[in-house]
Amino acid sequence: MYLKLPPILTTLFLLIIIIIIIFTTAVSAASQTQPAGVALNLWCVAKNNAEDSALQSAIDWACGTGGADCTPIQQGGPCYDAADVRKTASYAFNSYCTKNGMTEDTCNFANTAALTSLDPSHSGCKFPSSLEGKNTLGATATGGGTSTADITSKGVNIALYSDMWLWCLYFVIFSWLNFV
């Protein structure tokens, strides 16, 4: 035999539990991101799904009209790799963005590039980061969390909302069972 609580108390009790869970989940999620105002290294790199011809056109523009320093990706340079257009494009894109500001707008190149917080440097090829270049807004890049190239859902903490919906489902089930 068990004690059956009045429906209003059961509902209130479950509501309090849901609020506590949502609050603790939000606090946990917030503690996993970088605090605001802490500088975040960013690089502009070629997207994996970009076509080689589109990357070559973007390289030509960045190294020409765009004014990027492409000396390291020329033959004999530390970042030269004739066999890998993606690495070459990444260097050119990043060079352009460190000079002109590391933003989603400057790191687009006809949708062939994206920002990342993962250092693309390899072997003897060092990619300067957003903190080593200038930003057109007169400040270095700052922020919390990950960059746009590292995430699949912008501005929404999926874990927080999936937990919340799960607890709401529990709330509905237990409330319904209490009324039966």
Side-chain angles (χ1 to χ4, degrees):
M1 182 169 193
Y2 65 94
L3 176 64
K4 187 170 182 176
L5 295 173
I8 190 74
L9 287 179
T10 303
T11 304
L12 186 60
F13 176 72
L14 290 173
L15 188 60
I16 290 170
I17 289 173
I18 289 171
I19 291 170
I20 290 170
I21 289 170
I22 291 171
F23 176 75
T24 57
T25 304
V27 168
S28 173
S31 68
Q32 293 175 0
T33 60
Q34 202 171 15
V38 173
L40 177 68
N41 279 317
L42 293 176
W43 292 267
C44 180
V45 297
K47 289 182 177 179
N48 289 332
N49 63 351
E51 301 219 2
D52 288 355
S53 59
L55 290 174
Q56 189 59 57
S57 294
I59 292 168
D60 294 342
W61 182 87
C63 294
T65 307
D69 177 14
C70 294
T71 308
I73 57 175
Q74 293 175 355
Q75 191 168 4
C79 299
Y80 177 74
D81 188 350
D84 194 337
V85 70
R86 205 161 315 295
K87 284 181 182 177
T88 303
S90 292
Y91 192 90
F93 297 168
N94 192 68
S95 175
Y96 174 82
C97 288
T98 54
K99 181 179 178 183
N100 296 291
M102 194 69 67
T103 67
E104 287 183 10
D105 291 333
T106 58
C107 180
N108 186 296
F109 298 94
N111 204 28
T112 62
L115 295 176
T116 184
S117 60
L118 303 173
D119 188 349
S121 299
H122 53 89
S123 307
C125 180
K126 168 80 170 96
F127 281 58
S129 75
S130 58
L131 298 181
E132 298 170 51
K134 74 176 188 181
N135 185 312
T136 55
L137 301 175
T140 57
T142 61
T146 57
S147 70
T148 58
D150 301 330
I151 59 177
T152 56
S153 177
K154 254 172 109 172
V156 177
N157 186 332
I158 301 300
L160 170 63
Y161 291 107
S162 65
D163 287 348
M164 180 178 71
W165 288 112
L166 181 64
W167 285 105
C168 287
L169 177 64
Y170 291 152
F171 173 74
V172 169
I173 291 170
F174 285 117
S175 295
W176 179 77
L177 289 175
N178 200 31
F179 289 114
V180 173

PDB file of all heavy atoms in Angstrom, residues 42 44 97-98 100-109 114-115 130 135-137 141 148:
ATOM      1  N   LEU A  42      41.046  32.275 -33.076  1.00  0.00           N
ATOM      2  CA  LEU A  42      40.248  31.820 -34.209  1.00  0.00           C
ATOM      3  C   LEU A  42      41.121  31.780 -35.454  1.00  0.00           C
ATOM      4  O   LEU A  42      42.058  32.568 -35.596  1.00  0.00           O
ATOM      5  CB  LEU A  42      39.065  32.756 -34.457  1.00  0.00           C
ATOM      6  CG  LEU A  42      37.982  32.804 -33.396  1.00  0.00           C
ATOM      7  CD1 LEU A  42      36.941  33.861 -33.745  1.00  0.00           C
ATOM      8  CD2 LEU A  42      37.317  31.449 -33.234  1.00  0.00           C
ATOM      9  N   CYS A  44      40.620  31.087 -39.898  1.00  0.00           N
ATOM     10  CA  CYS A  44      39.714  30.932 -41.032  1.00  0.00           C
ATOM     11  C   CYS A  44      40.287  29.832 -41.910  1.00  0.00           C
ATOM     12  O   CYS A  44      41.429  29.930 -42.365  1.00  0.00           O
ATOM     13  CB  CYS A  44      39.612  32.247 -41.806  1.00  0.00           C
ATOM     14  SG  CYS A  44      38.508  32.141 -43.238  1.00  0.00           S
ATOM     15  N   CYS A  97      42.093  37.119 -43.391  1.00  0.00           N
ATOM     16  CA  CYS A  97      41.275  37.461 -42.218  1.00  0.00           C
ATOM     17  C   CYS A  97      42.088  38.047 -41.077  1.00  0.00           C
ATOM     18  O   CYS A  97      41.591  38.900 -40.344  1.00  0.00           O
ATOM     19  CB  CYS A  97      40.491  36.237 -41.743  1.00  0.00           C
ATOM     20  SG  CYS A  97      39.155  35.802 -42.873  1.00  0.00           S
ATOM     21  N   THR A  98      43.330  37.615 -40.893  1.00  0.00           N
ATOM     22  CA  THR A  98      44.142  38.233 -39.836  1.00  0.00           C
ATOM     23  C   THR A  98      44.458  39.680 -40.192  1.00  0.00           C
ATOM     24  O   THR A  98      44.643  40.505 -39.304  1.00  0.00           O
ATOM     25  CB  THR A  98      45.450  37.451 -39.567  1.00  0.00           C
ATOM     26  OG1 THR A  98      46.170  37.285 -40.775  1.00  0.00           O
ATOM     27  CG2 THR A  98      45.169  36.104 -38.937  1.00  0.00           C
ATOM     28  N   ASN A 100      42.299  41.619 -42.185  1.00  0.00           N
ATOM     29  CA  ASN A 100      41.053  42.378 -42.363  1.00  0.00           C
ATOM     30  C   ASN A 100      39.979  42.140 -41.302  1.00  0.00           C
ATOM     31  O   ASN A 100      38.885  42.661 -41.429  1.00  0.00           O
ATOM     32  CB  ASN A 100      40.476  42.062 -43.742  1.00  0.00           C
ATOM     33  CG  ASN A 100      41.385  42.534 -44.840  1.00  0.00           C
ATOM     34  OD1 ASN A 100      41.545  43.727 -45.043  1.00  0.00           O
ATOM     35  ND2 ASN A 100      42.013  41.605 -45.532  1.00  0.00           N
ATOM     36  N   GLY A 101      40.277  41.347 -40.311  1.00  0.00           N
ATOM     37  CA  GLY A 101      39.310  41.075 -39.250  1.00  0.00           C
ATOM     38  C   GLY A 101      38.785  39.652 -39.343  1.00  0.00           C
ATOM     39  O   GLY A 101      38.369  39.208 -40.411  1.00  0.00           O
ATOM     40  N   MET A 102      38.823  38.951 -38.242  1.00  0.00           N
ATOM     41  CA  MET A 102      38.412  37.549 -38.191  1.00  0.00           C
ATOM     42  C   MET A 102      36.935  37.493 -37.819  1.00  0.00           C
ATOM     43  O   MET A 102      36.573  37.391 -36.650  1.00  0.00           O
ATOM     44  CB  MET A 102      39.273  36.806 -37.160  1.00  0.00           C
ATOM     45  CG  MET A 102      39.213  35.315 -37.220  1.00  0.00           C
ATOM     46  SD  MET A 102      39.979  34.549 -38.666  1.00  0.00           S
ATOM     47  CE  MET A 102      41.711  34.881 -38.451  1.00  0.00           C
ATOM     48  N   THR A 103      36.081  37.612 -38.834  1.00  0.00           N
ATOM     49  CA  THR A 103      34.639  37.563 -38.606  1.00  0.00           C
ATOM     50  C   THR A 103      34.026  36.553 -39.572  1.00  0.00           C
ATOM     51  O   THR A 103      34.676  36.131 -40.539  1.00  0.00           O
ATOM     52  CB  THR A 103      33.982  38.938 -38.857  1.00  0.00           C
ATOM     53  OG1 THR A 103      34.074  39.249 -40.257  1.00  0.00           O
ATOM     54  CG2 THR A 103      34.617  40.039 -38.024  1.00  0.00           C
ATOM     55  N   GLU A 104      32.786  36.190 -39.334  1.00  0.00           N
ATOM     56  CA  GLU A 104      32.094  35.270 -40.243  1.00  0.00           C
ATOM     57  C   GLU A 104      31.947  35.890 -41.632  1.00  0.00           C
ATOM     58  O   GLU A 104      31.947  35.175 -42.629  1.00  0.00           O
ATOM     59  CB  GLU A 104      30.725  34.887 -39.679  1.00  0.00           C
ATOM     60  CG  GLU A 104      30.821  33.946 -38.501  1.00  0.00           C
ATOM     61  CD  GLU A 104      29.464  33.509 -37.973  1.00  0.00           C
ATOM     62  OE1 GLU A 104      28.436  33.777 -38.625  1.00  0.00           O
ATOM     63  OE2 GLU A 104      29.441  32.893 -36.907  1.00  0.00           O
ATOM     64  N   ASP A 105      31.817  37.207 -41.695  1.00  0.00           N
ATOM     65  CA  ASP A 105      31.675  37.874 -42.990  1.00  0.00           C
ATOM     66  C   ASP A 105      32.976  37.856 -43.790  1.00  0.00           C
ATOM     67  O   ASP A 105      32.957  37.597 -44.997  1.00  0.00           O
ATOM     68  CB  ASP A 105      31.198  39.314 -42.810  1.00  0.00           C
ATOM     69  CG  ASP A 105      29.759  39.394 -42.325  1.00  0.00           C
ATOM     70  OD1 ASP A 105      28.983  38.456 -42.611  1.00  0.00           O
ATOM     71  OD2 ASP A 105      29.415  40.394 -41.666  1.00  0.00           O
ATOM     72  N   THR A 106      34.099  38.148 -43.138  1.00  0.00           N
ATOM     73  CA  THR A 106      35.369  38.149 -43.863  1.00  0.00           C
ATOM     74  C   THR A 106      35.841  36.730 -44.161  1.00  0.00           C
ATOM     75  O   THR A 106      36.562  36.507 -45.126  1.00  0.00           O
ATOM     76  CB  THR A 106      36.479  38.906 -43.093  1.00  0.00           C
ATOM     77  OG1 THR A 106      36.647  38.304 -41.811  1.00  0.00           O
ATOM     78  CG2 THR A 106      36.169  40.379 -42.955  1.00  0.00           C
ATOM     79  N   CYS A 107      35.430  35.773 -43.348  1.00  0.00           N
ATOM     80  CA  CYS A 107      35.814  34.367 -43.556  1.00  0.00           C
ATOM     81  C   CYS A 107      34.659  33.625 -44.220  1.00  0.00           C
ATOM     82  O   CYS A 107      34.039  32.747 -43.633  1.00  0.00           O
ATOM     83  CB  CYS A 107      36.182  33.712 -42.226  1.00  0.00           C
ATOM     84  SG  CYS A 107      36.671  31.982 -42.413  1.00  0.00           S
ATOM     85  N   ASN A 108      34.378  33.999 -45.466  1.00  0.00           N
ATOM     86  CA  ASN A 108      33.298  33.331 -46.192  1.00  0.00           C
ATOM     87  C   ASN A 108      33.800  32.795 -47.522  1.00  0.00           C
ATOM     88  O   ASN A 108      33.625  31.636 -47.829  1.00  0.00           O
ATOM     89  CB  ASN A 108      32.115  34.290 -46.399  1.00  0.00           C
ATOM     90  CG  ASN A 108      30.945  33.595 -47.013  1.00  0.00           C
ATOM     91  OD1 ASN A 108      31.015  33.117 -48.149  1.00  0.00           O
ATOM     92  ND2 ASN A 108      29.853  33.513 -46.289  1.00  0.00           N
ATOM     93  N   PHE A 109      34.402  33.642 -48.324  1.00  0.00           N
ATOM     94  CA  PHE A 109      34.983  33.258 -49.607  1.00  0.00           C
ATOM     95  C   PHE A 109      34.015  32.398 -50.418  1.00  0.00           C
ATOM     96  O   PHE A 109      34.297  31.245 -50.732  1.00  0.00           O
ATOM     97  CB  PHE A 109      36.324  32.549 -49.406  1.00  0.00           C
ATOM     98  CG  PHE A 109      37.351  33.423 -48.740  1.00  0.00           C
ATOM     99  CD1 PHE A 109      37.529  33.390 -47.358  1.00  0.00           C
ATOM    100  CD2 PHE A 109      38.096  34.321 -49.485  1.00  0.00           C
ATOM    101  CE1 PHE A 109      38.454  34.212 -46.741  1.00  0.00           C
ATOM    102  CE2 PHE A 109      39.027  35.149 -48.874  1.00  0.00           C
ATOM    103  CZ  PHE A 109      39.197  35.102 -47.494  1.00  0.00           C
ATOM    104  N   ALA A 114      35.210  28.772 -43.226  1.00  0.00           N
ATOM    105  CA  ALA A 114      34.525  28.944 -41.942  1.00  0.00           C
ATOM    106  C   ALA A 114      35.558  29.201 -40.850  1.00  0.00           C
ATOM    107  O   ALA A 114      36.725  28.841 -40.988  1.00  0.00           O
ATOM    108  CB  ALA A 114      33.710  27.699 -41.599  1.00  0.00           C
ATOM    109  N   LEU A 115      35.097  29.823 -39.763  1.00  0.00           N
ATOM    110  CA  LEU A 115      35.951  30.054 -38.607  1.00  0.00           C
ATOM    111  C   LEU A 115      36.064  28.774 -37.784  1.00  0.00           C
ATOM    112  O   LEU A 115      35.120  27.989 -37.713  1.00  0.00           O
ATOM    113  CB  LEU A 115      35.365  31.157 -37.723  1.00  0.00           C
ATOM    114  CG  LEU A 115      35.304  32.554 -38.323  1.00  0.00           C
ATOM    115  CD1 LEU A 115      34.601  33.505 -37.369  1.00  0.00           C
ATOM    116  CD2 LEU A 115      36.699  33.063 -38.661  1.00  0.00           C
ATOM    117  N   SER A 130      43.640  34.805 -34.799  1.00  0.00           N
ATOM    118  CA  SER A 130      42.944  36.089 -34.716  1.00  0.00           C
ATOM    119  C   SER A 130      43.603  37.011 -33.699  1.00  0.00           C
ATOM    120  O   SER A 130      43.541  38.223 -33.836  1.00  0.00           O
ATOM    121  CB  SER A 130      41.480  35.869 -34.339  1.00  0.00           C
ATOM    122  OG  SER A 130      41.402  35.170 -33.103  1.00  0.00           O
ATOM    123  N   ASN A 135      41.892  43.303 -35.994  1.00  0.00           N
ATOM    124  CA  ASN A 135      40.465  43.138 -36.248  1.00  0.00           C
ATOM    125  C   ASN A 135      39.952  44.475 -36.751  1.00  0.00           C
ATOM    126  O   ASN A 135      40.310  45.516 -36.215  1.00  0.00           O
ATOM    127  CB  ASN A 135      39.779  42.751 -34.933  1.00  0.00           C
ATOM    128  CG  ASN A 135      38.315  42.447 -35.092  1.00  0.00           C
ATOM    129  OD1 ASN A 135      37.584  43.206 -35.713  1.00  0.00           O
ATOM    130  ND2 ASN A 135      37.891  41.348 -34.508  1.00  0.00           N
ATOM    131  N   THR A 136      39.105  44.471 -37.765  1.00  0.00           N
ATOM    132  CA  THR A 136      38.633  45.735 -38.336  1.00  0.00           C
ATOM    133  C   THR A 136      37.817  46.541 -37.350  1.00  0.00           C
ATOM    134  O   THR A 136      37.633  47.723 -37.517  1.00  0.00           O
ATOM    135  CB  THR A 136      37.785  45.486 -39.593  1.00  0.00           C
ATOM    136  OG1 THR A 136      36.733  44.592 -39.264  1.00  0.00           O
ATOM    137  CG2 THR A 136      38.609  44.928 -40.713  1.00  0.00           C
ATOM    138  N   LEU A 137      37.340  45.919 -36.295  1.00  0.00           N
ATOM    139  CA  LEU A 137      36.571  46.645 -35.293  1.00  0.00           C
ATOM    140  C   LEU A 137      37.482  47.255 -34.239  1.00  0.00           C
ATOM    141  O   LEU A 137      37.024  47.875 -33.302  1.00  0.00           O
ATOM    142  CB  LEU A 137      35.550  45.713 -34.620  1.00  0.00           C
ATOM    143  CG  LEU A 137      34.537  45.078 -35.576  1.00  0.00           C
ATOM    144  CD1 LEU A 137      33.665  44.084 -34.826  1.00  0.00           C
ATOM    145  CD2 LEU A 137      33.683  46.144 -36.226  1.00  0.00           C
ATOM    146  N   ALA A 141      39.311  39.201 -31.175  1.00  0.00           N
ATOM    147  CA  ALA A 141      38.099  38.376 -31.068  1.00  0.00           C
ATOM    148  C   ALA A 141      37.955  37.853 -29.647  1.00  0.00           C
ATOM    149  O   ALA A 141      38.911  37.379 -29.062  1.00  0.00           O
ATOM    150  CB  ALA A 141      38.177  37.208 -32.047  1.00  0.00           C
ATOM    151  N   THR A 148      32.094  28.899 -35.102  1.00  0.00           N
ATOM    152  CA  THR A 148      31.045  28.432 -36.001  1.00  0.00           C
ATOM    153  C   THR A 148      31.429  27.189 -36.773  1.00  0.00           C
ATOM    154  O   THR A 148      30.563  26.456 -37.213  1.00  0.00           O
ATOM    155  CB  THR A 148      30.661  29.535 -36.999  1.00  0.00           C
ATOM    156  OG1 THR A 148      31.838  29.917 -37.722  1.00  0.00           O
ATOM    157  CG2 THR A 148      30.075  30.729 -36.299  1.00  0.00           C
TER     158      THR A 148
END
